[in-house]
Amino acid sequence: MDTEVGPSGLAKSAAVKLSEMGERTKQFGTAMKDPHQQRRIILVIVCVALLLDNMLYMVIVPIIPDYLADLESEQSEHVHVVIHPNSSANSTSQDKSNKDNLDIQIGVLFASKAILQLLVNPLSGTFIDRVGYDIPLLIGLTVMFASTCIFAFAENYATLFVARSLQGLGSAFADTSGIAMIADKYTEEAERSKALGIALAFISFGSLVAPPFGGILYEFAGKRVPFIVLAIVCLVDGVLVLTVIKPFSNRTRENMPVGTPIYRLMIDPYIAVVAGALTVCNIPLAFLEPTIANWMETTMHSSKWEMGLTWLPAFFPHVLGVYITVKLAAQHPNLQWFYGAVGMVIIGASSCTVPACKTFGQLIAPLCGICFGIALVDTALLPTLAFLVDVRHVSVYGSVYAIADISYSVAYAMGPIVAGQIVHSLGFVQLNLGMGLVNVLYAPALLLLRNVCQMKPSYSERDNLLEEAPQGLYDTIKMEERKGKKKGYSSAGNCLPVDENGFDPFRAQRSFSEESSGPEYT
């Protein structure tokens, strides 16, 4: 009797579990139909992709120099034994030559990701504007997964170089489409600033936590384990994109308006000012990352763990800067330019004080100041790019965030190659003073953005900027009607204009762009 009750009890419990799983699946499906829940899940997916990309960018910092040094020593010993089996002369000069060659190899390897990303971004931005945000995100994650697996099993410099370059290709698609997707899903300025701030916090966390994460796993588990862990995370995120966003069954991109070409966005003076600020504010971080470890070892005689944890404390002021900027932007959205300018001044002052530090504890303060200032600039200006596209162009965000990615890539492509040369020729002090001065001098340029919040989305402004004629009779009639109307501004802390009848031209521009962007909308 007991033998019959046991299996029946197991069957009943299994049936209950299956029914519970079915109910949870239904609840998840219902939640995914809710736009608010859907965009939260999309935000999580994009943040994981950004976290992964920046961890891949920085995880090699403690791994690759040591790994390449081992490869170099093995090769040099082999060559020395084969050519000069009994000779030990000129070993010192040979070691110096090998070290210089190793420094060049490391610099080129670190910069290859940003260089390829810089080259691919103009094409990826246009591609994203044409096909939507979901398929490029999946493409980027797939390429990043492949590059991570290659990193894990690479055993020579050429293979590492290919893996690093592939990562830049994946980043050009994943980063740009992810940020653009957030801007597209969160249309209200306050919500958009908050969502982009969360994404920036994940970027910061990935960049600052990756070196100790990679160094600890490399020390105790070997070279492959950090990359295998990140490859698994990448695979899980890709599966979430397929199951949640469903890029190949999503038909919304068929109704997307035609975006403004990237070269026309580049010549927009407001976008150019923002792009320049993003490049300049990231130069201290990009130039210090490859040079500060050697300077700490020379001047402070720092230990390995101190050099490995140099940037980790700066994560907390970065998150604080994101939080403060989001709160201030919600209360005073017309001062976004001011928050960015203050951030650049803080970056400049902090960069100038780095060479004066004599201990590891003193060094933490200016590095925290640099990351706090970068948080102010990024959190204030990234939503401004989307707003500029909304009011001056067409609300499609792939190309404008490709420009932002280009701005970052310029700084990080120059950093590993140029910074070392400046330190060797001019010195570490001059490098920091120069970077600080550039940031302080660029800050007043953000005054050009002080009236951005008062801009009105209008067809005449769009046509003057793009040098395009009205698209058809309907466009011409609507433009003439708008010219004859008086427009006012709402006063409840809203930067967007409304006319005297309460009509919101910002929403009209988006719907009208969908109607008039091609023959398929007629």
Side-chain angles (χ1 to χ4, degrees):
M1 192 73 178
D2 294 338
T3 57
E4 293 180 0
V5 173
S8 64
L10 289 174
K12 288 181 180 179
S13 63
V16 171
K17 292 291 184 183
L18 287 174
S19 64
E20 290 178 355
M21 289 178 62
E23 288 296 325
R24 290 175 183 175
T25 304
K26 289 180 181 179
Q27 292 175 1
F28 182 74
T30 305
M32 280 306 301
K33 293 179 182 178
D34 182 13
H36 292 285
Q37 294 294 333
Q38 186 183 39
R39 66 182 187 178
R40 286 180 182 176
I41 297 173
I42 289 173
L43 178 62
V44 171
I45 293 172
V46 172
C47 287
V48 171
L50 296 173
L51 170 75
L52 179 69
D53 177 56
N54 285 273
M55 286 195 73
L56 284 172
Y57 180 77
M58 295 299 296
V59 75
I60 70 171
V61 170
I63 298 174
I64 294 301
D66 187 63
Y67 183 71
L68 286 180
D70 292 341
L71 289 178
E72 189 77 20
S73 62
E74 290 177 5
Q75 293 176 0
S76 62
E77 286 177 6
H78 177 72
V79 171
H80 185 76
V81 169
V82 172
I83 299 178
H84 304 289
N86 299 318
S87 173
S88 60
N90 298 326
S91 60
T92 304
S93 61
Q94 182 68 32
D95 290 341
K96 185 177 184 303
S97 176
N98 289 340
K99 187 177 184 306
D100 292 340
N101 184 45
L102 182 63
D103 289 341
I104 295 173
Q105 287 182 342
I106 293 173
V108 172
L109 183 66
F110 275 50
S112 60
K113 185 254 187 189
I115 291 173
L116 192 65
Q117 192 170 343
L118 179 65
L119 296 175
V120 174
N121 264 315
L123 303 177
S124 67
T126 303
F127 179 74
I128 292 167
D129 283 349
R130 296 288 179 88
V131 305
Y133 310 115
D134 40 13
I135 291 179
L137 178 60
L138 183 62
I139 292 173
L141 287 170
T142 303
V143 175
M144 286 162 57
F145 174 76
S147 70
T148 309
C149 293
I150 295 173
F151 253 123
F153 298 98
E155 295 184 352
N156 56 65
Y157 181 81
T159 311
L160 291 170
F161 183 83
V162 171
R164 184 69 167 175
S165 301
L166 271 179
Q167 187 197 341
L169 177 64
S171 299
F173 285 94
D175 290 5
T176 305
S177 60
I179 296 292
M181 186 181 292
I182 292 174
D184 183 69
K185 295 295 181 182
Y186 292 84
T187 54
E188 296 293 331
E189 288 302 310
E191 292 183 339
R192 181 182 284 169
S193 295
K194 183 177 179 181
L196 289 174
I198 293 171
L200 288 170
F202 273 81
I203 291 173
S204 171
F205 183 75
S207 299
L208 300 176
V209 172
F213 165 82
I216 292 171
L217 286 182
Y218 174 66
E219 183 71 24
F220 295 103
K223 179 181 80 74
R224 294 180 179 178
V225 174
F227 298 106
I228 292 175
V229 172
L230 294 177
I232 293 172
V233 176
C234 187
L235 182 63
V236 171
D237 203 39
V239 171
L240 285 175
V241 171
L242 285 173
T243 56
V244 175
I245 301 178
K246 298 179 181 178
F248 297 106
S249 61
N250 191 353
R251 316 307 299 176
T252 55
R253 60 182 169 275
E254 294 180 355
N255 298 321
M256 284 181 62
V258 177
T260 306
I262 190 169
Y263 70 90
R264 287 181 174 168
L265 293 177
M266 286 181 172
I267 62 176
D268 185 313
Y270 299 102
I271 293 176
V273 168
V274 174
L278 294 176
T279 299
V280 172
C281 78
N282 279 276
I283 283 178
L285 186 61
F287 280 47
L288 284 175
E289 280 174 350
T291 57
I292 197 167
N294 288 334
W295 177 77
M296 290 172 64
E297 188 175 13
T298 304
T299 59
M300 302 179 184
H301 306 289
S302 298
S303 60
K304 291 288 185 182
W305 72 267
E306 288 178 333
M307 290 186 286
L309 298 177
T310 302
W311 295 99
L312 186 58
F315 167 71
F316 300 101
H318 187 279
V319 174
L320 178 63
V322 170
Y323 178 80
I324 291 174
T325 310
V326 169
K327 290 296 184 182
L328 289 174
Q331 297 177 2
H332 306 285
N334 58 321
L335 294 177
Q336 297 273 56
W337 65 272
F338 180 72
Y339 310 144
V342 170
M344 298 196 78
V345 172
I346 294 174
I347 294 169
S350 301
S351 180
C352 290
T353 57
V354 167
C357 299
K358 303 300 181 184
T359 64
F360 177 72
Q362 294 175 358
L363 182 62
I364 290 176
L367 296 184
C368 287
I370 290 174
C371 289
F372 180 78
I374 290 175
L376 294 182
V377 178
D378 288 348
T379 311
L381 297 187
L382 281 180
T384 302
L385 285 175
F387 181 77
L388 286 169
V389 169
D390 287 337
V391 298
R392 293 175 61 82
H393 302 278
V394 181
S395 297
V396 180
Y397 308 101
S399 291
V400 75
Y401 282 111
I403 293 174
D405 211 20
I406 289 171
S407 303
Y408 294 126
S409 298
V410 168
Y412 287 97
M414 292 191 303
I417 298 175
V418 177
Q421 297 296 324
I422 295 176
V423 170
H424 284 301
S425 58
L426 299 177
F428 187 79
V429 175
Q430 286 75 11
L431 172 68
N432 281 270
L433 292 177
M435 295 187 301
L437 185 62
V438 168
N439 272 273
V440 173
L441 291 178
Y442 195 92
L446 295 181
L447 282 168
L448 295 174
L449 304 176
R450 66 188 183 277
N451 295 323
V452 160
C453 206
Q454 300 175 3
M455 289 182 179
K456 301 186 293 290
S458 64
Y459 299 114
S460 57
E461 184 176 21
R462 181 198 67 182
D463 291 329
N464 289 335
L465 182 67
L466 303 185
E467 299 178 356
E468 292 177 352
Q471 299 176 5
L473 179 62
Y474 182 73
D475 197 349
T476 305
I477 293 173
K478 288 296 178 184
M479 285 177 60
E480 294 300 326
E481 289 177 354
R482 290 175 185 278
K483 288 178 181 177
K485 285 183 179 181
K486 295 181 181 180
K487 296 184 177 65
Y489 292 91
S490 63
S491 58
N494 187 2
C495 298
L496 298 179
V498 293
D499 65 13
E500 57 190 359
N501 297 319
F503 178 73
D504 186 353
F506 173 68
R507 295 185 182 276
Q509 184 189 17
R510 295 191 65 171
S511 60
F512 179 75
S513 300
E514 294 176 4
E515 294 176 5
S516 62
S517 57
E520 65 270 24
Y521 308 116
T522 57

